[in-house]
Amino acid sequence: MKKQTDENRCAHGIHRLARLVGALLLILSSLFLSTWGSAAAQGAEWGSLKGRLVYAGKASKPKAINVTKDVEFCGKHTLVDEELVVADDGGLANVFVYLNLKRGKSVAVHPDYDQGVDQPVVLDNKGCRFEPHALTLYLKHPLEIHNSDEGIGHNTNATLLKNPKFNELVSNDAPLTKNFKKSESYPSPFACNVHPWMGAHVLIRDNPYMAISATDGSFEIKNIPAGKHAFRFWHEADGNMDKLKVGSEKTSRKGLLKITIPAGDTLDLGEIKVSPSVLGQ
Amino acid sequence: MMASGNYIKTRQLGCSRVAGMIFGLFLLLAGCEQAQPPAFRLNMVQMVSQETSTEYQQEIADVLGALFGTPDQPYALPETGLEQNRLNLAAGPAWSDREGTVHGLYRKHCVHCHGVTGDGRGPTARFLNPYPRDYRPGIYKFKSTYNSSKPSNEDLQAILVNGIPGSAMPSFALLPSSQRESLVEYVKYLSMRGQMETELINYVYDELGEEEGVRIPLDPAKDPEQREVMLEMLAEIADGWEEAPEQVIQAVQEQLPEENRPAEVVAVSVDKGRELFYGTRANCLKCHGPTALGDGQTDDQNVWNKTNKKFQEDNNRLADRIDRVRNTGGLDAEGREQLQADLLTLARREAIGARLYPVRNATPRNLRRGIYRGGRRPLDIYRRVHAGIPGTPMPGSGPASSDAQGTLTDAEIWNLVDYVLSLPYEAPSQPQRALPANALQIAR
């Protein structure tokens, strides 16, 4: 390219002028395009979704775990069955609420979510249970599996469908680091075969639009592109939460609900009553 | 049969003997004509679990038929990387031609245990322990590759040559290697078909179904988008198999035990191995037991049995719920509708559940017996400890891929190999850390 320009400079004045004009046009148009592009990014409208899940039945007291392995250590912790975690005021924890995309579809991701993606998300073997019991993982982050139980051996056995399954020992000094390439459609069960009562669910997605209800049943997903989306409600007791009443709507057989996210605002779904039959109880 | 009877009558044959013979002949012929060629069975456990409607079941069967053919006429798209002529030799009824070429190898040697579909449900399967392998999930226990990878052709060949000691799987070392190669190809074919079936069931559930009351059919012949998706799925499955040779675990050269090591050197390694066995990093004793008799953890299952167990448990839970609802009474219209739907689902599920084999627990290997299913060479034991055993509770202790970090070093894995291989020969008089009598106490 440079050589050609040199030649032009020597011989063809007119060509040179034409080239200059062309270059000017190019600069102008790229300037226009770039301002237009950033305007589009700034102008993209985002909204949030929140709500609170409340168990409408009478939750029985969580069953105590019969500790059969490493009794001296694990027996110290008061371990209970964590399938159904209901707060005193009815708040239902560990419900996964997440954006459902059709195969091959993608969604715009708010730039905030790309901050600190090199920070690992940690799943810990702690007190002979998984901490946390339910976890979301935007797959740009690595997953680190720790073992904080000093002198206790654990293994982590992950049943994944789209990513390679794994089953590995986890020792105190060497956490496992996992990078995932594919989005899973559902939360994946993680288990420890040494301690059969141990279980967790990890939702691995290629977009960050997911949440897990906290101990009070509340959840919030921030900065979703405004517009109509399908969200899935999922709980480990019975998988997809079908026929869940949300306002005047009901989730489908697959636990899906179409929700319109308002631009620059938060949609509050309010209190969502979860009847026991939704959880197969 | 009725037709042939009427035929004889109309001809008014006087001699009853001749008539009888002809009748018999007709019966024979009719029998031959009516014999159904063997067909692949659908994965009903998964289909019923994912509420695949009968229309979709038929459509999935059609797509699988188009992609893979039938047990008599298997078919492999180029995307699968499978060799059609090998499949032809392995499939179909068993016979040999004038040149002595044997056809229908799978039905001659494998089908009684592994079944026409490769679902591990042949006529003898129910009586075997362990059950024959169900090829459909594409998970194989004894192989040279990383835990999540597929076995290489050589791995499957090795199983055919050696059989699986301690199981009903015999050695096929006496077959010519070309026949074994055909069988390996056919086993891979059955796995790919099974994997594809699972993908299709998931696809139908996640992507199709009813929208605003209209059912979206699975019809890749008419829908180019669906066709593209099907080929994508198939290519992905085939990729997993194709890349297996690159996923073979390479033992670190510098840490390989030397050949002809003196007894003292081996003894040191065995001691290190013992320490690891009882330590919490390798944690072997938790499942194999403090005496290595395989009695540490006996109430877990492998994935194949776990699938069936979960299916039965879900059935029981549904039955309980129905009972509870009935006993409570006072249902509204919606409740009654739900009850009817639940009853129908339960009937459907119980019909499938009744045909499943009893769930068997995974027993950790008794390491005192010197019987190793995946082979008794040190390298075989190394691979079991390194990668774990896919589909079972046995975890891996080495790196999970070529770029990952493992819990144990290669040298430590070899120490464990030495210890494991020493266990059957440990003198009974040698003081042991635990005796069966107090094993339970120590495990706790």
Side-chain angles (χ1 to χ4, degrees):
Chain A
M1 277 300 278
K2 193 154 192 284
K3 200 178 163 203
Q4 266 183 14
T5 346
D6 287 347
E7 278 169 15
N8 286 351
R9 196 177 290 157
C10 301
H12 310 290
I14 300 167
H15 276 200
R16 198 179 152 203
L17 196 72
R19 230 161 230 276
L20 261 170
V21 171
L24 212 70
L25 270 173
L26 204 77
I27 290 165
L28 274 173
S29 64
S30 63
L31 257 172
F32 170 76
L33 272 174
S34 66
T35 44
W36 181 77
S38 64
Q42 280 163 7
E45 304 271 13
W46 312 90
S48 300
L49 175 70
K50 68 175 191 177
R52 181 166 174 260
L53 292 140
V54 178
Y55 191 61
K58 223 178 155 189
S60 48
K61 228 177 131 210
K63 266 183 269 169
I65 298 286
N66 179 22
V67 177
T68 50
K69 286 271 145 54
D70 292 310
V71 177
E72 265 174 35
F73 182 87
C74 302
K76 285 190 304 205
H77 305 85
T78 37
L79 294 168
V80 292
D81 186 353
E82 293 177 74
E83 188 183 68
L84 191 63
V85 180
V86 180
D88 290 340
D89 64 350
L92 177 63
N94 299 333
V95 174
F96 287 83
V97 184
Y98 58 102
L99 182 75
N100 183 68
L101 292 168
K102 285 272 179 190
R103 190 187 165 96
K105 295 279 184 290
S106 62
V107 63
V109 172
H110 192 276
D112 279 6
Y113 284 108
D114 289 329
Q115 306 280 319
V117 284
D118 47 350
Q119 288 299 310
V121 171
V122 175
L123 179 67
D124 199 359
N125 288 268
K126 197 176 179 185
C128 300
R129 59 181 288 280
F130 283 110
E131 176 58 41
H133 179 71
L135 184 66
T136 57
L137 178 74
Y138 176 31
L139 55 67
K140 286 193 172 178
H141 292 264
L143 175 68
E144 254 182 36
I145 302 169
H146 292 214
N147 176 357
S148 303
D149 287 342
E150 207 61 50
I152 298 296
H154 289 290
N155 73 307
T156 301
N157 191 342
T159 307
L160 308 171
L161 293 177
K162 311 278 179 188
N163 293 286
K165 297 179 175 63
F166 65 90
N167 178 12
E168 286 175 66
L169 293 171
V170 197
S171 59
N172 298 141
D173 47 348
L176 299 177
T177 304
K178 294 278 166 193
N179 288 293
F180 301 101
K181 295 206 174 75
K182 291 189 178 147
S183 209
E184 297 281 345
S185 306
Y186 298 95
S188 310
F190 278 50
C192 169
N193 297 91
V194 180
H195 309 102
W197 62 84
M198 284 177 68
H201 280 91
V202 182
L203 177 61
I204 302 164
R205 301 284 286 169
D206 60 3
N207 72 69
Y209 300 119
M210 50 191 160
I212 294 166
S213 63
T215 42
D216 66 346
S218 67
F219 68 91
E220 182 168 12
I221 310 174
K222 285 183 177 152
N223 291 322
I224 310 162
K228 206 172 187 183
H229 302 282
F231 285 86
R232 171 164 273 139
F233 290 78
W234 191 98
H235 186 272
E236 67 174 275
D238 202 33
N240 293 336
M241 296 165 75
D242 59 339
K243 294 190 189 144
L244 176 69
K245 274 184 207 141
V246 183
S248 57
E249 308 272 316
K250 247 185 192 181
T251 56
S252 74
R253 191 169 66 91
K254 300 172 191 175
L256 293 174
L257 185 70
K258 292 214 169 103
I259 298 173
T260 305
I261 300 298
D265 201 0
T266 298
L267 175 67
D268 191 349
L269 297 174
E271 221 168 71
I272 303 167
K273 287 223 161 65
V274 182
S275 68
S277 67
V278 168
L279 300 180
Q281 307 287 313
Chain B
M1 263 157 53
M2 282 306 289
S4 57
N6 289 339
Y7 183 62
I8 293 161
K9 226 176 192 173
T10 50
R11 294 292 296 267
Q12 303 275 313
L13 277 171
C15 182
S16 64
R17 224 159 139 202
V18 175
M21 273 168 70
I22 292 176
F23 181 76
L25 199 73
F26 268 91
L27 211 75
L28 216 84
L29 283 172
C32 279
E33 271 169 50
Q34 282 170 5
Q36 291 266 327
F40 288 125
R41 244 194 304 233
L42 290 176
N43 188 344
M44 289 311 289
V45 168
Q46 204 196 346
M47 286 191 165
V48 170
S49 300
Q50 311 232 133
E51 298 162 31
T52 315
S53 69
T54 43
E55 288 111 316
Y56 279 128
Q57 287 175 17
Q58 187 56 52
E59 285 168 357
I60 289 172
D62 291 346
V63 171
L64 286 171
L67 291 174
F68 291 96
T70 64
D72 278 349
Q73 283 182 305
Y75 173 69
L77 281 174
E79 281 86 344
T80 60
L82 294 167
E83 282 191 36
Q84 183 66 45
N85 47 0
R86 285 191 179 154
L87 297 183
N88 292 345
L89 279 179
W95 63 288
S96 33
D97 59 24
R98 282 190 187 171
E99 282 82 40
T101 308
V102 186
H103 300 260
L105 293 160
Y106 184 80
R107 253 176 256 177
K108 188 173 177 186
H109 299 295
C110 320
V111 81
H112 4 280
C113 298
H114 292 283
V116 169
T117 314
D119 54 1
R121 289 176 57 91
T124 55
R126 187 184 280 269
F127 312 105
L128 302 179
N129 189 2
Y131 292 129
R133 181 60 51 243
D134 171 359
Y135 303 138
R136 295 172 303 173
I139 299 174
Y140 292 82
K141 282 158 88 169
F142 308 117
K143 58 196 185 66
S144 61
T145 55
Y146 289 104
N147 190 303
S148 62
S149 303
K150 296 283 170 256
S152 67
N153 282 1
E154 289 72 24
D155 290 336
L156 295 175
Q157 271 273 0
I159 296 286
L160 286 179
V161 171
N162 301 321
I164 300 181
S167 84
M169 175 74 183
S171 156
F172 291 92
L174 294 177
L175 293 187
S177 65
S178 63
Q179 291 192 10
R180 286 198 303 266
E181 276 163 23
S182 291
L183 285 172
V184 164
E185 206 73 353
Y186 196 69
V187 166
K188 284 167 66 176
Y189 159 84
L190 289 173
S191 269
M192 287 190 200
R193 191 193 159 278
Q195 288 174 267
M196 190 67 193
E197 184 175 12
T198 295
E199 288 291 321
L200 289 172
I201 297 170
N202 289 341
Y203 176 75
V204 162
Y205 183 81
D206 287 338
E207 309 291 332
L208 306 183
E210 274 185 19
E211 237 164 66
E212 274 117 35
V214 184
R215 196 183 75 93
I216 313 165
L218 173 70
D219 191 358
K222 288 212 185 104
D223 185 333
E225 202 186 306
Q226 282 186 8
R227 189 160 57 224
E228 207 170 297
V229 171
M230 306 288 106
L231 291 177
E232 225 170 74
M233 287 173 178
L234 190 64
E236 209 165 299
I237 290 166
D239 279 353
W241 287 91
E242 230 152 83
E243 67 189 22
E246 300 148 35
Q247 299 298 323
V248 172
I249 296 169
Q250 307 292 341
V252 180
Q253 281 298 318
E254 301 82 62
Q255 297 184 9
L256 272 177
E258 279 172 44
E259 275 177 47
N260 301 319
R261 289 172 296 167
E264 305 83 66
V265 176
V266 177
V268 169
S269 175
V270 166
D271 270 350
K272 283 185 187 164
R274 179 183 284 118
E275 211 161 291
L276 285 163
F277 188 94
Y278 289 100
T280 54
R281 277 175 65 231
N283 220 20
C284 312
L285 87 160
K286 281 286 148 51
C287 296
H288 292 282
T291 49
L293 287 166
D295 54 359
Q297 174 82 288
T298 50
D299 45 11
D300 209 343
Q301 294 87 30
N302 62 27
V303 287
W304 299 274
N305 278 284
K306 217 168 240 175
T307 307
N308 291 353
K309 188 181 172 207
K310 184 170 183 303
F311 189 80
Q312 303 283 28
E313 281 174 353
D314 287 350
N315 284 3
N316 295 341
R317 219 157 58 133
L318 183 58
D320 284 352
R321 195 170 83 196
I322 289 172
D323 277 351
R324 230 175 14 242
V325 169
R326 273 182 165 163
N327 290 340
T328 328
L331 290 173
D332 54 4
E334 198 183 330
R336 277 197 300 275
E337 200 181 305
Q338 180 67 42
L339 180 63
Q340 285 312 314
D342 283 351
L343 281 168
L344 201 68
T345 310
L346 185 64
R348 215 175 282 147
R349 293 185 65 106
E350 280 185 337
I352 308 293
R355 292 206 295 268
L356 297 179
Y357 301 155
V359 170
R360 289 212 181 107
N361 288 353
T363 37
R365 193 61 47 242
N366 176 349
L367 298 171
R368 298 266 173 194
R369 292 187 66 194
I371 297 169
Y372 308 101
R373 299 234 168 118
R376 53 156 300 124
R377 297 172 305 168
L379 181 64
D380 294 321
I381 314 289
Y382 165 87
R383 285 169 176 165
R384 298 299 90 74
V385 179
H386 188 295
I389 302 180
T392 77
M394 169 83 180
S397 55
S401 60
S402 55
D403 56 355
Q405 184 78 34
T407 297
L408 301 184
T409 65
D410 253 38
E412 287 174 324
I413 295 176
W414 285 116
N415 294 147
L416 273 172
V417 171
D418 282 332
Y419 178 61
V420 165
L421 286 171
S422 81
L423 278 168
Y425 303 102
E426 216 171 51
S429 59
Q430 191 174 319
Q432 305 199 347
R433 297 209 168 193
L435 294 167
N438 62 5
L440 211 56
Q441 217 174 345
I442 288 169
R444 288 172 181 179

